[in-house]
Coordinates of all heavy atoms in Angstrom, one line a residue:
M1 N 109.9 107.5 79.7 CA 110.4 107.9 81.1 C 110.6 106.7 81.9 O 109.7 105.8 82.0 CB 109.4 108.9 81.7 CG 109.8 109.2 83.2 SD 108.5 110.0 84.1 CE 109.1 111.6 84.1
A2 N 111.7 106.6 82.6 CA 111.9 105.5 83.5 C 111.1 105.7 84.8 O 110.5 106.7 85.0 CB 113.4 105.4 83.9
L3 N 111.0 104.6 85.6 CA 110.3 104.7 86.8 C 111.2 105.2 87.9 O 112.3 104.7 88.1 CB 109.7 103.3 87.2 CG 109.0 103.2 88.5 CD1 107.6 104.0 88.4 CD2 108.7 101.7 88.8
Q4 N 110.7 106.2 88.6 CA 111.5 106.8 89.7 C 110.8 106.5 91.0 O 109.5 106.6 91.1 CB 111.6 108.3 89.6 CG 112.4 108.8 88.3 CD 112.3 110.3 88.2 OE1 111.5 111.0 88.7 NE2 113.3 110.8 87.4
I5 N 111.5 106.1 92.0 CA 111.0 105.7 93.3 C 111.6 106.5 94.4 O 112.9 106.5 94.4 CB 111.2 104.2 93.6 CG1 110.6 103.3 92.5 CG2 110.6 103.8 95.0 CD1 110.9 101.9 92.6
S6 N 110.8 107.2 95.1 CA 111.4 108.0 96.3 C 110.6 107.6 97.5 O 109.5 107.1 97.4 CB 111.3 109.5 96.0 OG 110.0 109.9 95.8
E7 N 111.2 107.9 98.7 CA 110.5 107.5 99.9 C 110.5 108.7 100.8 O 111.4 109.5 100.9 CB 111.3 106.3 100.6 CG 110.6 105.7 101.8 CD 111.1 106.4 103.1 OE1 112.2 106.9 103.1 OE2 110.4 106.3 104.1
N8 N 109.3 108.9 101.5 CA 109.2 109.9 102.5 C 108.2 109.4 103.6 O 107.1 109.1 103.3 CB 108.6 111.2 101.8 CG 108.6 112.4 102.7 OD1 109.2 112.4 103.8 ND2 107.9 113.4 102.3
N9 N 108.7 109.4 104.8 CA 107.9 109.0 106.0 C 107.3 107.6 105.8 O 106.1 107.4 106.1 CB 106.8 110.0 106.3 CG 107.4 111.3 106.8 OD1 108.5 111.3 107.4 ND2 106.8 112.4 106.5
G10 N 108.0 106.7 105.2 CA 107.5 105.3 105.1 C 106.6 105.1 103.9 O 106.2 103.9 103.6
T11 N 106.3 106.1 103.0 CA 105.6 105.9 101.8 C 106.5 106.0 100.6 O 107.3 107.0 100.6 CB 104.4 107.0 101.7 OG1 103.6 106.8 102.9 CG2 103.6 106.8 100.5
F12 N 106.3 105.1 99.7 CA 107.2 105.1 98.5 C 106.3 105.8 97.4 O 105.2 105.4 97.1 CB 107.6 103.7 98.1 CG 108.5 103.1 99.1 CD1 108.0 102.3 100.1 CD2 109.8 103.2 98.9 CE1 108.8 101.7 101.1 CE2 110.7 102.6 99.9 CZ 110.2 101.9 100.9
Y13 N 106.9 106.8 96.8 CA 106.3 107.6 95.7 C 106.8 107.1 94.4 O 108.0 107.2 94.1 CB 106.5 109.1 95.9 CG 105.8 109.6 97.2 CD1 106.4 109.5 98.4 CD2 104.5 110.0 97.1 CE1 105.8 110.0 99.6 CE2 103.8 110.5 98.3 CZ 104.5 110.4 99.5 OH 103.8 110.8 100.6
L14 N 105.9 106.7 93.5 CA 106.3 106.3 92.1 C 106.0 107.4 91.1 O 105.0 108.1 91.2 CB 105.6 105.0 91.7 CG 105.6 103.9 92.7 CD1 104.8 102.7 92.1 CD2 107.1 103.4 93.0
N15 N 107.0 107.6 90.2 CA 106.8 108.6 89.2 C 107.3 108.0 87.8 O 108.4 107.6 87.7 CB 107.7 109.8 89.5 CG 107.4 111.0 88.6 OD1 106.5 111.0 87.8 ND2 108.2 112.0 88.8
G16 N 106.4 107.9 86.9 CA 106.7 107.4 85.6 C 105.8 106.3 85.2 O 104.6 106.3 85.4
K17 N 106.4 105.2 84.6 CA 105.6 104.1 84.0 C 106.1 102.8 84.6 O 107.2 102.6 84.9 CB 105.9 104.1 82.5 CG 105.5 105.3 81.7 CD 105.9 105.2 80.3 CE 105.6 106.5 79.6 NZ 105.9 106.5 78.1
I18 N 105.1 101.9 84.8 CA 105.3 100.6 85.2 C 104.9 99.7 84.0 O 103.8 99.4 83.8 CB 104.6 100.1 86.5 CG1 104.8 101.1 87.6 CG2 105.0 98.7 86.9 CD1 103.9 100.9 88.8
N19 N 105.9 99.3 83.2 CA 105.7 98.5 82.0 C 106.8 97.5 81.9 O 107.5 97.2 82.8 CB 105.6 99.4 80.8 CG 106.8 100.3 80.6 OD1 107.9 100.0 81.1 ND2 106.7 101.4 80.0
N20 N 106.8 96.8 80.7 CA 107.8 95.8 80.5 C 109.2 96.2 80.7 O 110.1 95.4 81.2 CB 107.7 95.3 79.0 CG 106.4 94.5 78.7 OD1 105.8 94.0 79.7 ND2 106.1 94.4 77.5
T21 N 109.5 97.5 80.5 CA 110.9 98.0 80.6 C 111.3 98.2 82.1 O 112.4 97.9 82.5 CB 111.0 99.3 79.9 OG1 110.6 99.2 78.6 CG2 112.4 99.8 79.9
T22 N 110.3 98.5 82.9 CA 110.6 98.9 84.3 C 110.2 97.9 85.4 O 110.5 98.0 86.5 CB 110.0 100.2 84.7 OG1 108.5 100.1 84.6 CG2 110.5 101.4 83.8
V23 N 109.4 96.9 84.9 CA 108.8 96.0 85.9 C 109.8 95.1 86.7 O 109.6 94.9 87.9 CB 107.7 95.1 85.2 CG1 108.3 94.0 84.4 CG2 106.7 94.5 86.3
R24 N 110.9 94.7 86.1 CA 111.8 93.9 86.8 C 112.5 94.6 87.9 O 112.5 94.1 89.1 CB 112.9 93.4 85.8 CG 114.0 92.5 86.4 CD 114.8 91.8 85.3 NE 116.1 91.4 85.7 CZ 116.4 90.5 86.6 NH1 115.4 89.9 87.2 NH2 117.6 90.1 86.8
S25 N 112.9 95.8 87.7 CA 113.5 96.6 88.8 C 112.5 96.9 89.9 O 112.8 97.0 91.1 CB 114.3 97.8 88.3 OG 113.4 98.6 87.6
F26 N 111.3 97.2 89.4 CA 110.2 97.5 90.4 C 109.9 96.3 91.3 O 109.9 96.5 92.5 CB 108.9 97.7 89.5 CG 107.6 97.9 90.3 CD1 107.4 99.0 91.1 CD2 106.7 96.9 90.3 CE1 106.2 99.2 91.8 CE2 105.5 97.0 91.1 CZ 105.3 98.2 91.8
I27 N 109.9 95.1 90.8 CA 109.7 93.9 91.6 C 110.9 93.7 92.6 O 110.7 93.5 93.8 CB 109.4 92.7 90.8 CG1 108.0 92.8 90.1 CG2 109.5 91.4 91.6 CD1 107.8 91.7 89.1
I28 N 112.1 93.8 92.0 CA 113.2 93.6 92.9 C 113.3 94.6 94.0 O 113.6 94.2 95.2 CB 114.5 93.7 92.0 CG1 114.6 92.4 91.1 CG2 115.8 93.8 92.9 CD1 115.7 92.5 90.0
H29 N 113.0 95.8 93.7 CA 113.1 96.9 94.8 C 112.1 96.6 95.9 O 112.4 96.7 97.0 CB 112.9 98.3 94.1 CG 112.9 99.4 95.1 ND1 114.1 99.9 95.6 CD2 111.9 100.0 95.7 CE1 113.8 100.9 96.5 NE2 112.5 101.0 96.6
F30 N 110.8 96.3 95.5 CA 109.8 96.2 96.5 C 109.8 94.8 97.2 O 109.4 94.7 98.3 CB 108.4 96.5 95.9 CG 108.3 98.0 95.8 CD1 108.4 98.7 94.6 CD2 108.1 98.8 97.0 CE1 108.3 100.0 94.5 CE2 108.0 100.2 96.9 CZ 108.1 100.8 95.7
E31 N 110.4 93.8 96.6 CA 110.6 92.5 97.3 C 111.6 92.8 98.5 O 111.3 92.3 99.6 CB 111.2 91.5 96.4 CG 110.2 90.7 95.5 CD 110.9 89.6 94.7 OE1 112.0 89.9 94.2 OE2 110.2 88.6 94.6
Y32 N 112.6 93.6 98.2 CA 113.5 93.9 99.3 C 112.8 94.7 100.3 O 113.0 94.5 101.5 CB 114.7 94.7 98.7 CG 115.7 95.2 99.7 CD1 116.6 94.3 100.3 CD2 115.6 96.5 100.2 CE1 117.5 94.8 101.3 CE2 116.5 97.0 101.2 CZ 117.4 96.1 101.7 OH 118.3 96.5 102.7
C33 N 112.0 95.7 99.9 CA 111.3 96.6 100.9 C 110.4 95.7 101.8 O 110.3 96.0 103.0 CB 110.5 97.7 100.2 SG 111.6 98.9 99.4
I34 N 109.7 94.8 101.1 CA 108.7 94.0 101.9 C 109.5 93.1 102.9 O 109.1 92.9 104.1 CB 107.9 93.1 100.9 CG1 106.9 93.9 100.2 CG2 107.2 92.0 101.7 CD1 106.3 93.2 99.0
E35 N 110.6 92.6 102.5 CA 111.4 91.8 103.4 C 111.9 92.6 104.6 O 112.0 92.1 105.7 CB 112.6 91.2 102.6 CG 113.5 90.3 103.4 CD 114.6 89.7 102.6 OE1 114.3 89.2 101.5 OE2 115.7 89.6 103.1
K36 N 112.3 93.9 104.4 CA 112.9 94.7 105.4 C 111.9 95.5 106.3 O 112.2 95.9 107.4 CB 114.0 95.6 104.8 CG 115.1 94.9 104.2 CD 115.9 94.2 105.2 CE 117.0 93.4 104.6 NZ 117.7 92.5 105.5
C37 N 110.8 95.8 105.7 CA 109.8 96.7 106.4 C 108.6 95.9 106.8 O 108.2 94.9 106.2 CB 109.4 97.8 105.5 SG 110.7 98.8 104.9
K38 N 107.9 96.4 107.8 CA 106.7 95.7 108.3 C 105.5 96.2 107.4 O 104.5 95.4 107.2 CB 106.5 96.2 109.7 CG 105.4 95.4 110.5 CD 105.3 95.9 111.9 CE 104.2 95.1 112.6 NZ 104.2 95.5 114.1
N39 N 105.5 97.4 106.9 CA 104.4 98.0 106.2 C 105.0 98.7 105.0 O 105.9 99.6 105.1 CB 103.7 98.9 107.1 CG 102.4 99.5 106.4 OD1 101.9 98.9 105.5 ND2 102.0 100.7 106.9
V40 N 104.6 98.4 103.8 CA 105.0 99.0 102.6 C 103.8 99.7 101.9 O 102.8 99.1 101.6 CB 105.6 98.0 101.6 CG1 106.0 98.7 100.3 CG2 106.9 97.4 102.2
V41 N 103.9 101.0 101.7 CA 102.8 101.8 101.1 C 103.4 102.4 99.8 O 104.4 103.1 99.9 CB 102.3 102.9 102.0 CG1 101.2 103.7 101.3 CG2 101.8 102.3 103.3
I42 N 102.8 102.2 98.7 CA 103.2 102.9 97.5 C 102.2 103.8 97.0 O 101.0 103.5 97.0 CB 103.7 101.9 96.3 CG1 102.5 101.0 95.9 CG2 104.8 101.0 96.8 CD1 102.8 100.2 94.7
N43 N 102.6 105.0 96.6 CA 101.7 106.0 96.1 C 101.8 106.1 94.6 O 102.9 106.4 94.1 CB 102.0 107.4 96.8 CG 101.1 108.5 96.4 OD1 100.9 108.8 95.2 ND2 100.5 109.1 97.4
I44 N 100.7 106.0 93.9 CA 100.8 106.0 92.4 C 100.2 107.3 91.8 O 99.8 107.3 90.6 CB 100.1 104.7 91.9 CG1 98.6 104.7 92.3 CG2 100.9 103.5 92.3 CD1 97.8 103.6 91.6
D45 N 100.2 108.3 92.6 CA 99.6 109.6 92.0 C 100.3 110.0 90.7 O 99.7 110.5 89.8 CB 99.8 110.7 93.0 CG 98.7 110.8 94.1 OD1 97.6 110.2 93.8 OD2 98.9 111.4 95.1
N46 N 101.6 109.8 90.6 CA 102.4 110.2 89.5 C 102.7 109.1 88.5 O 103.6 109.3 87.7 CB 103.6 111.0 89.9 CG 103.3 112.3 90.6 OD1 102.4 113.0 90.2 ND2 103.9 112.5 91.7
V47 N 102.1 108.0 88.6 CA 102.2 106.9 87.6 C 101.3 107.3 86.4 O 100.1 107.4 86.6 CB 101.9 105.5 88.2 CG1 101.9 104.5 87.1 CG2 102.9 105.2 89.3
N48 N 101.9 107.4 85.2 CA 101.1 107.8 84.1 C 100.8 106.7 83.1 O 100.1 106.9 82.2 CB 101.7 109.0 83.4 CG 103.2 108.8 83.0 OD1 103.6 107.7 82.8 ND2 104.0 109.9 83.0
E49 N 101.4 105.5 83.4 CA 101.1 104.4 82.5 C 101.4 103.1 83.3 O 102.4 103.0 84.0 CB 102.0 104.4 81.3 CG 101.8 103.1 80.4 CD 102.8 103.1 79.3 OE1 103.1 104.1 78.7 OE2 103.4 102.0 79.1
I50 N 100.5 102.1 83.2 CA 100.8 100.8 83.8 C 100.3 99.8 82.9 O 99.1 99.8 82.4 CB 100.2 100.7 85.2 CG1 100.6 99.4 85.8 CG2 98.7 100.8 85.2 CD1 100.5 99.4 87.3
G51 N 101.2 98.8 82.5 CA 100.8 97.8 81.6 C 100.3 96.5 82.4 O 100.3 96.5 83.6
V52 N 100.0 95.5 81.6 CA 99.5 94.3 82.2 C 100.6 93.7 83.1 O 100.3 93.2 84.2 CB 99.1 93.3 81.2 CG1 98.8 91.9 81.7 CG2 97.9 93.8 80.4
T53 N 101.9 93.8 82.7 CA 103.0 93.3 83.5 C 103.1 94.0 84.8 O 103.4 93.4 85.8 CB 104.3 93.3 82.7 OG1 104.5 94.6 82.3 CG2 104.3 92.3 81.5
G54 N 102.8 95.3 84.8 CA 102.8 96.1 86.0 C 101.7 95.7 87.0 O 102.0 95.6 88.2
L55 N 100.5 95.5 86.4 CA 99.4 95.0 87.3 C 99.8 93.6 87.9 O 99.5 93.4 89.1 CB 98.1 94.9 86.5 CG 97.5 96.2 86.0 CD1 96.4 96.0 85.0 CD2 97.1 97.1 87.2
N56 N 100.3 92.8 87.1 CA 100.7 91.5 87.6 C 101.8 91.6 88.6 O 101.9 90.8 89.6 CB 101.1 90.5 86.5 CG 99.9 90.1 85.6 OD1 98.8 90.1 86.1 ND2 100.2 89.8 84.4
A57 N 102.7 92.5 88.5 CA 103.8 92.7 89.4 C 103.2 93.2 90.8 O 103.6 92.7 91.8 CB 104.8 93.8 88.9
I58 N 102.2 94.1 90.8 CA 101.6 94.5 92.0 C 100.9 93.3 92.7 O 101.0 93.2 93.9 CB 100.6 95.7 91.7 CG1 101.4 96.9 91.3 CG2 99.8 96.0 93.0 CD1 100.6 98.1 90.9
K59 N 100.2 92.5 91.9 CA 99.6 91.3 92.4 C 100.6 90.4 93.1 O 100.4 89.9 94.1 CB 98.9 90.6 91.3 CG 97.5 90.2 91.5 CD 96.9 89.7 90.2 CE 95.7 88.9 90.4 NZ 95.1 88.5 89.2
T60 N 101.7 90.2 92.4 CA 102.8 89.4 92.9 C 103.3 89.9 94.2 O 103.5 89.1 95.2 CB 103.9 89.2 91.9 OG1 103.4 88.6 90.7 CG2 105.1 88.4 92.4
L61 N 103.5 91.2 94.3 CA 104.1 91.8 95.5 C 103.1 91.7 96.7 O 103.4 91.5 97.8 CB 104.4 93.3 95.3 CG 105.6 93.5 94.3 CD1 105.8 95.0 94.0 CD2 106.9 93.0 95.0
M62 N 101.8 91.8 96.3 CA 100.7 91.6 97.4 C 100.8 90.2 97.9 O 100.7 90.0 99.1 CB 99.4 92.0 96.8 CG 99.1 93.4 96.6 SD 97.5 93.7 95.8 CE 97.2 95.3 96.4
A63 N 101.0 89.2 97.0 CA 101.0 87.8 97.5 C 102.3 87.6 98.3 O 102.2 86.9 99.3 CB 101.0 86.9 96.3
I64 N 103.4 88.2 98.0 CA 104.6 88.0 98.7 C 104.4 88.6 100.1 O 104.8 88.0 101.1 CB 105.8 88.7 98.0 CG1 106.2 87.9 96.7 CG2 107.0 88.8 98.9 CD1 107.1 88.6 95.8
A65 N 103.9 89.8 100.2 CA 103.6 90.5 101.5 C 102.7 89.6 102.3 O 102.9 89.4 103.5 CB 103.1 91.9 101.3
L66 N 101.7 89.1 101.7 CA 100.7 88.3 102.5 C 101.4 87.0 103.0 O 101.2 86.7 104.2 CB 99.5 87.9 101.6 CG 98.4 87.1 102.2 CD1 97.7 88.0 103.3 CD2 97.4 86.7 101.1
K67 N 102.2 86.4 102.2 CA 102.9 85.2 102.7 C 103.8 85.5 103.8 O 104.0 84.6 104.7 CB 103.7 84.6 101.5 CG 104.2 83.2 101.7 CD 105.0 82.7 100.6 CE 104.0 82.1 99.6 NZ 104.7 81.4 98.5
Q68 N 104.4 86.7 103.8 CA 105.4 87.1 104.9 C 104.7 87.8 106.1 O 105.3 88.3 106.9 CB 106.5 87.9 104.3 CG 107.3 87.2 103.3 CD 108.5 88.0 102.8 OE1 108.9 89.1 103.4 NE2 109.1 87.6 101.7
H69 N 103.3 87.8 106.0 CA 102.5 88.5 107.1 C 102.9 90.0 107.2 O 103.1 90.5 108.3 CB 102.7 87.8 108.4 CG 102.3 86.4 108.4 ND1 101.1 85.9 108.2 CD2 103.1 85.3 108.4 CE1 101.0 84.6 108.2 NE2 102.3 84.2 108.2
K70 N 103.1 90.6 106.0 CA 103.4 92.1 106.0 C 102.3 92.8 105.3 O 101.5 92.2 104.6 CB 104.7 92.3 105.2 CG 105.9 91.5 105.6 CD 106.5 92.1 106.9 CE 107.7 91.3 107.3 NZ 109.0 91.8 106.8
M71 N 102.2 94.1 105.5 CA 101.2 95.0 104.9 C 101.8 95.5 103.6 O 102.9 96.0 103.6 CB 100.8 96.1 105.8 CG 100.1 95.6 107.1 SD 98.5 94.9 106.8 CE 97.6 96.2 106.2
F72 N 101.0 95.5 102.5 CA 101.4 96.1 101.3 C 100.2 96.9 100.7 O 99.1 96.3 100.5 CB 101.8 95.1 100.3 CG 102.3 95.6 99.0 CD1 103.6 96.0 98.8 CD2 101.5 95.7 97.9 CE1 104.1 96.6 97.6 CE2 101.9 96.3 96.7 CZ 103.2 96.7 96.6
S73 N 100.3 98.2 100.6 CA 99.2 99.0 100.2 C 99.5 99.9 99.0 O 100.6 100.3 98.8 CB 98.7 100.0 101.3 OG 98.5 99.2 102.5
V74 N 98.5 100.1 98.1 CA 98.6 101.0 97.0 C 97.7 102.1 97.2 O 96.5 101.9 97.4 CB 98.3 100.2 95.6 CG1 98.4 101.2 94.5 CG2 99.2 99.0 95.4
V75 N 98.2 103.3 97.2 CA 97.3 104.5 97.4 C 97.5 105.5 96.3 O 98.5 105.5 95.6 CB 97.6 105.2 98.8 CG1 97.3 104.2 99.9 CG2 99.0 105.7 98.9
G76 N 96.6 106.5 96.2 CA 96.8 107.6 95.3 C 95.8 107.5 94.2 O 95.0 106.6 94.0
Y77 N 95.8 108.6 93.4 CA 94.9 108.7 92.3 C 95.5 108.5 90.9 O 95.2 109.1 89.9 CB 94.3 110.1 92.3 CG 93.4 110.4 93.4 CD1 93.8 111.2 94.5 CD2 92.1 109.8 93.5 CE1 93.0 111.4 95.6 CE2 91.3 110.0 94.6 CZ 91.7 110.8 95.6 OH 90.9 111.0 96.7
G78 N 96.5 107.6 90.9 CA 97.3 107.3 89.7 C 96.4 106.5 88.7 O 95.2 106.7 88.7
C79 N 97.0 105.7 88.0 CA 96.3 105.0 86.9 C 95.1 104.3 87.4 O 95.0 103.5 88.3 CB 97.3 103.9 86.3 SG 98.6 104.6 85.5
K80 N 94.0 104.6 86.7 CA 92.7 104.0 86.9 C 92.7 102.5 86.7 O 92.0 101.7 87.3 CB 91.7 104.7 86.0 CG 90.2 104.2 86.2 CD 89.3 105.0 85.3 CE 87.9 104.7 85.5 NZ 87.5 103.3 85.2
E81 N 93.6 102.0 85.8 CA 93.7 100.6 85.5 C 94.0 99.7 86.7 O 93.5 98.6 86.8 CB 94.9 100.3 84.5 CG 94.7 100.9 83.1 CD 95.3 102.3 83.0 OE1 95.5 103.0 84.0 OE2 95.5 102.7 81.8
V82 N 94.7 100.3 87.7 CA 95.0 99.5 88.9 C 93.7 99.2 89.6 O 93.5 98.1 90.0 CB 96.0 100.3 89.8 CG1 96.2 99.5 91.1 CG2 97.4 100.4 89.1
Y83 N 93.0 100.2 89.8 CA 91.7 100.1 90.6 C 90.7 99.2 89.8 O 90.1 98.4 90.4 CB 91.1 101.5 90.9 CG 92.1 102.3 91.7 CD1 92.8 103.3 91.1 CD2 92.3 101.9 93.1 CE1 93.8 104.0 91.9 CE2 93.3 102.7 93.8 CZ 94.0 103.7 93.2 OH 94.9 104.4 93.9
D84 N 90.6 99.4 88.5 CA 89.7 98.6 87.7 C 90.1 97.2 87.8 O 89.2 96.3 87.9 CB 89.7 99.1 86.3 CG 89.0 100.5 86.1 OD1 88.3 100.9 87.0 OD2 89.2 101.1 85.0
H85 N 91.4 96.9 87.7 CA 91.9 95.5 87.6 C 91.5 94.8 88.9 O 91.0 93.7 88.9 CB 93.4 95.5 87.4 CG 94.0 94.1 87.4 ND1 93.8 93.2 86.3 CD2 94.7 93.5 88.3 CE1 94.4 92.1 86.6 NE2 95.0 92.2 87.8
F86 N 91.9 95.4 90.1 CA 91.7 94.8 91.3 C 90.2 94.7 91.8 O 89.8 93.8 92.4 CB 92.6 95.4 92.4 CG 94.0 95.0 92.2 CD1 94.9 95.9 91.7 CD2 94.4 93.7 92.5 CE1 96.2 95.5 91.5 CE2 95.7 93.3 92.3 CZ 96.6 94.3 91.8
Y87 N 89.5 95.8 91.4 CA 88.0 95.8 91.7 C 87.3 94.7 90.9 O 86.5 93.9 91.5 CB 87.4 97.1 91.5 CG 85.9 97.1 91.8 CD1 85.5 97.1 93.1 CD2 85.0 97.2 90.8 CE1 84.2 97.1 93.4 CE2 83.6 97.2 91.1 CZ 83.2 97.2 92.4 OH 81.9 97.1 92.7
S88 N 87.6 94.6 89.6 CA 86.9 93.6 88.8 C 87.3 92.2 89.1 O 86.5 91.3 89.0 CB 87.1 93.9 87.3 OG 88.5 93.7 87.0
S89 N 88.5 92.0 89.6 CA 88.9 90.6 90.0 C 88.3 90.2 91.3 O 88.3 89.0 91.6 CB 90.4 90.5 90.1 OG 90.9 91.3 91.2
Q90 N 87.7 91.1 92.1 CA 87.1 90.7 93.3 C 85.5 90.7 93.3 O 84.9 90.3 94.2 CB 87.5 91.7 94.4 CG 89.0 91.6 94.7 CD 89.4 92.6 95.8 OE1 88.6 93.3 96.4 NE2 90.7 92.6 96.0
V91 N 85.0 91.0 92.1 CA 83.5 91.0 92.0 C 83.1 89.6 91.5 O 83.8 89.0 90.8 CB 83.1 92.1 90.9 CG1 81.6 92.0 90.6 CG2 83.5 93.5 91.4
A92 N 81.9 89.2 92.0 CA 81.3 88.0 91.6 C 81.7 86.9 92.5 O 81.8 86.2 93.1 CB 81.5 87.6 90.2

């Protein structure tokens, strides 16, 4: 399944997989959103798979937003890998 992105009231809803196949378009889309918006919120409730490249893409987007003094947030009960990855990288 391809990655589908929809927007409602300033929150972007992701549906599908963030992997090697979809990561390029994911980054391009959200780089544009970060540039144009003050606050970008992505909801991962319906993300059913995320690979290492997807995790690195989210990390990259967070760095881009930080550099541009913009807010970038990931919310939802989607893939546990996202939370495990970012929580474990901030411990110690």
Side-chain angles (χ1 to χ4, degrees):
M1 171 193 258
L3 180 65
Q4 298 174 339
I5 303 170
S6 58
E7 187 266 338
N8 187 13
N9 293 329
T11 299
F12 295 89
Y13 294 88
L14 306 181
N15 187 7
K17 301 175 182 183
I18 306 173
N19 56 24
N20 290 339
T21 308
T22 61
V23 75
R24 181 168 156 65
S25 58
F26 173 73
I27 290 173
I28 290 168
H29 179 80
F30 283 105
E31 277 182 322
Y32 175 80
C33 292
I34 290 168
E35 187 177 312
K36 296 297 176 189
C37 302
K38 190 175 180 180
N39 184 24
V40 175
V41 178
I42 61 172
N43 183 303
I44 60 168
D45 278 340
N46 293 316
V47 172
N48 51 30
E49 177 189 316
I50 186 161
V52 173
T53 54
L55 291 171
N56 289 334
I58 291 172
K59 230 173 161 175
T60 298
L61 292 170
M62 289 178 153
I64 290 168
L66 184 63
K67 190 180 278 189
Q68 294 183 17
H69 305 287
K70 306 284 180 92
M71 296 294 295
F72 184 85
S73 306
V74 178
V75 299
Y77 292 106
C79 291
K80 184 177 181 299
E81 293 94 335
V82 174
Y83 301 104
D84 290 345
H85 177 77
F86 288 104
Y87 180 73
S88 65
S89 68
Q90 294 178 5
V91 174

